[in-house]
């Protein structure tokens, strides 16, 4: 996801940059500019159509949906200054895991990174609320929990771990 | 340059106050950027820094940059709005004094008191760490500083709003609604500056009031912990205020483009129907888009998160299809001479538009799940604030002294070096943030893991290039001002 996001962003940024570059060069143009409002309308309609497609495509399956039945593993985690308390150190491979997040003090951000350091999921942890986020781990190994919301001088050190185990399957 | 347009541009109301505003803004921008270089060097392991001190610096940097962007934007808007409506000089000085008093409070709180709760002061962190990481007075002084700045801005918008109502008979007419929703002819439309000023006045007044409310609640909570504030409500209010305020800084600065580019193209920027509709849309979008900051708060109503994604995307339409598109049309075939001012203004709009791309993409829920609060976020906001807002501000400053510098005709050799170093340095600096975001590097971490050092170190060098170019532009502006005073 992250690499695709980076590539798409850079391509689109470059495209917008090239349009500006052409506009700068066109300051000296002798050719009259025609159909300005038609071009503007096409641009607006084009953006609207792309927007509708992207919105429907990206939200059709609600990204925050939490399953309420089936084979679900619940993991409860609580953030505090500056620790993560997780009610298990082992999580099964290939099953839907629902993380229930809260905090005892300030806002924290529960982020899970794999052994390569790639962020897989996150949710905010807030005092007085329980946020839920689901994930299906497809690789066994050690996963780190880090803090994704600034919470004071120990923010960067708020790290914990859990293990995803294949033998816990089924 | 068109004589017709340049003759209209000779009115300079409250020029001294605005020039001073821009001098202070330029100096603070440069200082905050220097702090940015130091922080990136620290993250890259090039220098050792105590994490507590890092977070104090980050708080100063964020608060200083956001506040100064607002301050410089306010200076630009006041200067040009004064060409169209009479404004109260005393109100502007009151705004400046309150703003600077607020700055003194914030600097005392962070650099003496050790407050490091970030510019977003997210409830209940200021109180939760009071007495531990920083004294209670430091947290209180920080929030008092914000309140002073907020009161200053409310006075500023009161003066603007009253002036607009007196001349146009209401904010709706100042927004041009009688043209698009009534029977008035397009010739009766207010100038673009008036329409922009009316929209910013409405949304930033609302933003500032909401910000003041959450600040006062946090202040009471600091001394009376029994006075509890709902954390989700406080978060909503804080991000509403923060989002609206920083957008106001950009939308006030773009007024310099509306007013100054016509001097170069010889074509006045017109308040066409698409322009008026675009600004009405901007007014709505700026107020409605803030839930895109809360996409990882799953307890938020789903419709608000969806609204955050949709409005985030829609916000790009008036920016690209009206502001950027119109600028390109006005420039087309205009055969104007480039100088530092016009180049920075065009670069500013380009930076703003280009920076909107990764911001809009981050505003999608599926992307936000893995990009939120990574360095992707400072990646996109540094593009539209550094290249966009700071670019337009320095463009305005270069225009203010354009007859008073050695390279007053066209784009001199030094100007080309400054432009290139500012643009290239900013591009490299922000690209490293985006790359780090894609590599899942969290934002706001004092200590970085060694595998992230490469981007941090490249960013440090790039940021240094930006700082040097900005410092030189600041010196150029200050010497230009000194020469104006001599003549």
């Amino acid at each position: 996801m992250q690499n695709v996001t980076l590539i798409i962003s850079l391509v689109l940024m470059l495209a917008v940059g090239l349009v500006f570059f052409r506009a700068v060069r066109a300051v000296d143009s002798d050719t009259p500019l025609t159909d300005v409002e038609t071009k503007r309308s096409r641009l607006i309609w084009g953006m609207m159509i792309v927007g509708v497609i992207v919105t429907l495509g990206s939200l059709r399956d609600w990204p925050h949906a939490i399953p309420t039945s089936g084979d679900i593993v619940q993991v409860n985690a609580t953030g505090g200054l500056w620790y993560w308390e997780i009610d298990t150190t082992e999580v099964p491979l290939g099953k839907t895991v629902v993380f229930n997040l809260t905090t005892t003090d300030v806002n924290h951000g529960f982020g899970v990174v794999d052994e390569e350091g790639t962020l897989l999921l996150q949710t905010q942890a807030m005092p007085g609320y329980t946020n839920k986020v689901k994930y299906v781990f497809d690789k066994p190994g050690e996963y780190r929990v880090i803090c994704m919301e600034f919470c004071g001088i120990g923010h960067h050190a708020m790290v914990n771990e859990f293990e995803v185990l294949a033998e816990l399957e089924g | 340059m068109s004589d017709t347009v340049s003759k209209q541009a000779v009115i300079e109301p409250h020029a001294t106050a605005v020039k001073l505003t821009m001098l202070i803004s330029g100096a603070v921008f440069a200082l905050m950027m220097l702090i940015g270089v130091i922080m990136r060097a620290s993250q890259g392991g090039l220098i050792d820094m105590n994490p507590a001190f890092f977070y104090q610096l980050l708080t100063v940097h964020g608060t200083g940059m956001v506040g100064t962007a607002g301050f410089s934007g306010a200076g630009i808007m006041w200067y040009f709005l004064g060409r169209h409506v009479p404004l109260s000089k005393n109100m502007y000085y009151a705004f400046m004094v309150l703003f600077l008093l607020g700055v003194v409070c914030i600097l005392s709180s962070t650099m003496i008191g050790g407050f490091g709760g970030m510019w977003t002061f997210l409830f209940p962190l200021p109180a939760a760490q009071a007495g531990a990481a920083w004294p209670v007075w430091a947290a209180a002084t920080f929030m008092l500083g914000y309140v002073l700045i907020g009161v200053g801005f409310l006075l500023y918008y009161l003066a603007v709003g009253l002036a607009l109502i007196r001349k146009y008979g209401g904010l709706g007419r100042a927004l041009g609604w009688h043209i698009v929703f009534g029977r008035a002819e397009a010739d009766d439309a207010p100038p673009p500056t008036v329409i922009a000023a009316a929209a910013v006045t409405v949304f930033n007044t609302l933003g500032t009031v909401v910000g003041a409310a959450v600040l006062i609640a946090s202040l009471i909570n600091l001394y009376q912990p029994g006075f509890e504030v709902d954390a989700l409500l406080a978060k909503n209010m804080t991000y509403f205020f923060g989002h609206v305020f920083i957008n106001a800084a950009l939308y006030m600065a773009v007024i310099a483009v509306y007013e100054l580019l016509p001097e170069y193209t010889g074509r006045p920027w017109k308040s066409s129907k698409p322009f008026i509709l675009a600004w009405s849309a901007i007014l709505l979008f700026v107020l409605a888009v803030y839930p895109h900051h809360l996409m990882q708060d799953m307890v938020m109503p789903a419709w608000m998160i969806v609204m955050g994604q949709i409005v985030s995307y829609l916000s790009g339409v008036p920016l690209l299809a009206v502001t950027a598109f119109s600028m390109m049309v006005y420039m087309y075939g205009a055969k104007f001479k480039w100088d530092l001012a016009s180049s920075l203004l065009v670069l500013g709009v380009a930076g703003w538009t280009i920076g909107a791309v990764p911001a809009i993409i981050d505003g999608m829920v599926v992307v936000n799940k893995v990009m939120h609060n990574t360095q992707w976020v400072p990646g996109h906001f540094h593009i539209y604030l550094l290249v966009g807002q700071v670019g337009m501000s320095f463009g305005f400053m270069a225009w203010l002294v354009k007859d008073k510098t050695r390279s007053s005709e066209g784009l001199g050799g030094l100007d080309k070096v400054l432009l290139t170093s500012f643009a290239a340095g900013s591009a490299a600096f922000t690209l490293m943030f985006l790359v780090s975001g894609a590599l899942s590097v969290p934002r706001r971490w004092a200590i970085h893991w060694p595998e992230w050092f490469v981007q941090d170190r490249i960013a440090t060098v790039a940021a240094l290039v930006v700082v040097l170019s900005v410092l030189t532009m600041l010196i150029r502006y200050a010497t230009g001002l000194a020469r104006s005073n001599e003549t």
Side-chain angles (χ1 to χ4, degrees):
Chain A
M1 170 65 89
Q2 284 94 330
N3 288 338
V4 173
T5 302
L6 179 66
I7 291 165
I8 291 174
S9 297
L10 292 180
V11 168
L12 291 175
M13 289 163 71
L14 197 64
V16 175
L18 281 173
V19 172
F20 274 95
F21 182 71
R22 281 190 62 187
V24 167
R25 298 285 297 269
V27 166
D28 293 323
S29 175
D30 291 316
T31 319
L33 195 60
T34 54
D35 298 330
V36 170
E37 290 311 316
T38 309
K39 285 174 182 150
R40 191 199 303 272
S41 292
R42 282 184 190 154
L43 176 61
I44 293 171
W45 279 110
M47 287 183 79
M48 298 304 280
I49 291 165
V50 170
V52 169
I53 294 168
V54 171
T55 304
L56 290 176
S58 64
L59 295 177
R60 194 178 54 180
D61 293 327
W62 180 233
H64 291 338
I66 300 293
T68 50
S69 58
D71 201 7
I72 305 162
V73 176
Q74 301 280 345
V75 175
N76 300 308
T78 304
L81 294 168
W82 289 277
Y83 63 87
W84 287 112
E85 194 178 276
I86 309 171
D87 67 357
T88 179
T89 54
E90 295 174 346
V91 167
L93 185 76
K95 277 191 178 177
T96 300
V97 180
V98 173
F99 293 95
N100 303 299
L101 268 299
T102 190
T103 162
T104 57
D105 38 52
V106 302
N107 287 274
H108 299 281
F110 179 85
V112 175
V113 295
D114 65 14
E115 289 175 346
E116 284 78 45
T118 304
L119 183 67
L120 304 176
L121 70 136
Q122 67 170 307
T123 181
Q124 291 275 298
M126 262 183 299
Y129 289 91
T130 301
N131 275 318
K132 294 173 184 288
V133 60
K134 69 169 187 300
Y135 195 78
V136 179
F137 293 92
D138 58 9
K139 274 193 295 187
E142 292 288 336
Y143 288 76
R144 272 183 287 192
V145 175
I146 59 174
C147 188
M148 299 296 294
E149 183 61 75
F150 179 73
C151 57
I153 56 172
H155 169 53
H156 57 277
M158 197 171 151
V159 180
N160 202 340
E161 286 180 353
F162 62 82
E163 194 174 2
V164 173
L165 295 171
E167 52 267 35
L168 286 179
E169 273 183 289
Chain B
M1 185 195 299
S2 155
D3 285 344
T4 323
V5 175
S6 63
K7 274 176 192 162
Q8 290 170 354
V10 292
I11 310 162
E12 289 193 341
H14 314 167
T16 307
V18 172
K19 284 174 183 172
L20 180 61
T21 301
M22 300 314 291
L23 183 65
I24 295 169
S25 299
V28 179
F29 276 141
L31 182 63
M32 294 302 120
M33 286 178 192
L34 202 56
I35 290 176
V37 173
I38 293 167
M39 288 189 297
R40 291 302 270 142
S42 168
Q43 286 178 324
L46 296 169
I47 53 173
D48 281 332
M49 192 185 290
N50 181 308
F53 187 58
F54 178 94
Y55 292 127
Q56 287 168 38
L57 286 185
L58 190 52
T59 303
V60 171
H61 177 82
T63 314
M65 280 300 191
V66 171
T68 309
F71 192 53
S72 60
I76 291 171
M77 187 169 111
W78 193 267
Y79 185 90
F80 291 116
L81 188 62
R83 289 179 170 182
H84 307 284
V85 294
L87 293 165
S88 159
K89 189 184 271 187
N90 288 341
M91 289 289 253
Y92 191 77
Y93 279 120
F95 157 69
M96 282 183 78
V97 168
L98 283 165
F99 183 89
L100 294 173
L101 280 174
V103 170
V104 170
C105 286
I106 288 165
L107 283 176
S108 311
S109 150
T110 48
M111 301 319 289
I112 300 170
F115 181 76
M118 297 298 126
W119 81 273
T120 43
F121 59 89
L122 205 52
F123 179 86
L125 181 63
Q129 283 289 283
W134 47 75
V136 173
W137 74 261
T141 308
F142 184 85
M143 289 187 265
L144 180 67
Y146 264 52
V147 171
L148 287 170
I149 290 172
V151 172
F153 268 98
L154 286 177
L155 280 181
Y156 174 97
Y157 290 118
L158 181 67
V160 170
L162 284 174
L164 292 175
I165 290 166
R166 275 195 199 112
K167 177 151 184 185
Y168 294 94
L171 286 173
R173 291 183 72 83
L175 283 160
W177 285 352
H178 58 300
I179 308 293
V180 288
F181 303 120
R183 291 181 182 173
E185 295 296 319
D187 291 346
D188 293 333
T193 298
V194 168
I195 293 171
V200 173
T201 297
V202 173
F203 67 66
N204 211 18
T205 299
L206 290 170
T208 307
V209 168
V210 171
V214 72
L215 277 162
I216 299 295
S218 299
L219 262 172
I220 297 171
N221 173 264
L222 194 58
Y223 289 100
Q224 294 293 331
F227 180 83
E228 288 185 7
V229 182
D230 182 276
L232 184 61
L233 175 65
K235 201 185 236 186
N236 272 268
M237 293 170 79
T238 302
Y239 284 122
F240 176 79
F241 150 72
H243 181 90
V244 168
F245 187 88
I246 199 60
N247 269 267
L250 276 159
Y251 286 111
M252 289 192 286
V254 79
I255 290 172
V257 177
Y258 299 157
E259 291 277 347
L260 297 182
L261 217 62
E263 289 191 18
Y264 293 86
T265 62
R267 299 163 180 165
W269 203 295
K270 289 181 183 162
S271 297
S272 59
K273 279 193 179 179
F275 181 89
I276 296 169
L277 283 170
W279 270 96
S280 299
I282 288 165
L283 170 55
L284 182 67
F285 295 162
V286 169
L287 293 173
V289 75
Y290 86 93
H292 70 184
H293 295 283
L294 294 133
M295 284 179 166
Q296 299 317 311
D297 293 282
M298 281 66 165
V299 287
M300 282 285 286
W303 69 267
M304 287 188 78
I305 295 178
V306 171
M307 180 177 77
Q309 173 168 329
I310 293 172
V311 180
S312 191
Y313 180 84
L314 287 176
S315 301
V317 178
L319 175 60
L320 185 61
V322 181
T323 303
F325 185 87
S326 296
M327 187 184 80
M328 291 178 199
V329 170
Y330 286 128
M331 285 167 60
Y332 188 88
K335 300 194 186 309
F336 66 79
K337 265 189 186 170
W338 290 98
D339 61 16
L340 189 61
S342 60
S343 305
L344 281 170
L345 290 170
V346 173
L347 180 67
V349 176
W352 184 5
T353 314
I354 292 168
V357 172
I360 288 169
I361 290 176
D362 187 31
M364 294 171 64
V365 183
V366 285
V367 174
N368 193 264
K369 262 186 179 289
V370 289
M371 289 303 201
H372 181 64
N373 278 350
T374 67
Q375 288 205 334
W376 188 264
V377 182
H380 63 70
F381 74 63
H382 273 94
I383 303 175
Y384 47 77
L385 291 177
L386 172 58
V387 187
Q389 210 282 344
V390 175
M392 290 188 282
S393 295
F394 271 92
F396 172 59
M397 289 158 70
W399 175 83
L400 281 173
V401 297
K402 89 172 185 167
D403 299 325
K404 308 295 176 191
T405 56
R406 283 181 187 161
S407 57
S408 56
E409 279 298 313
L411 205 53
L414 175 63
D415 295 341
K416 285 180 184 165
V417 172
L418 288 177
L419 261 179
T420 310
S421 54
F422 178 69
S426 300
F429 171 67
T430 52
L431 180 64
M432 288 306 104
F433 270 139
L434 292 180
V435 169
S436 293
L439 292 171
S440 302
V441 179
R443 70 186 288 208
R444 292 175 169 166
W445 273 30
I447 307 294
H448 271 193
W449 296 347
E451 55 264 40
W452 304 332
F453 281 179
V454 175
Q455 303 95 274
D456 298 337
R457 289 174 182 179
I458 295 171
T460 306
V461 176
L464 202 55
V465 172
V466 176
V467 172
L468 289 173
S469 65
V470 164
L471 270 174
T472 314
M473 285 194 278
L474 178 65
I475 292 166
R476 185 185 180 281
Y477 174 67
T479 51
L481 281 185
R483 285 200 191 100
S484 345
N485 290 335
E486 285 167 11
T487 52

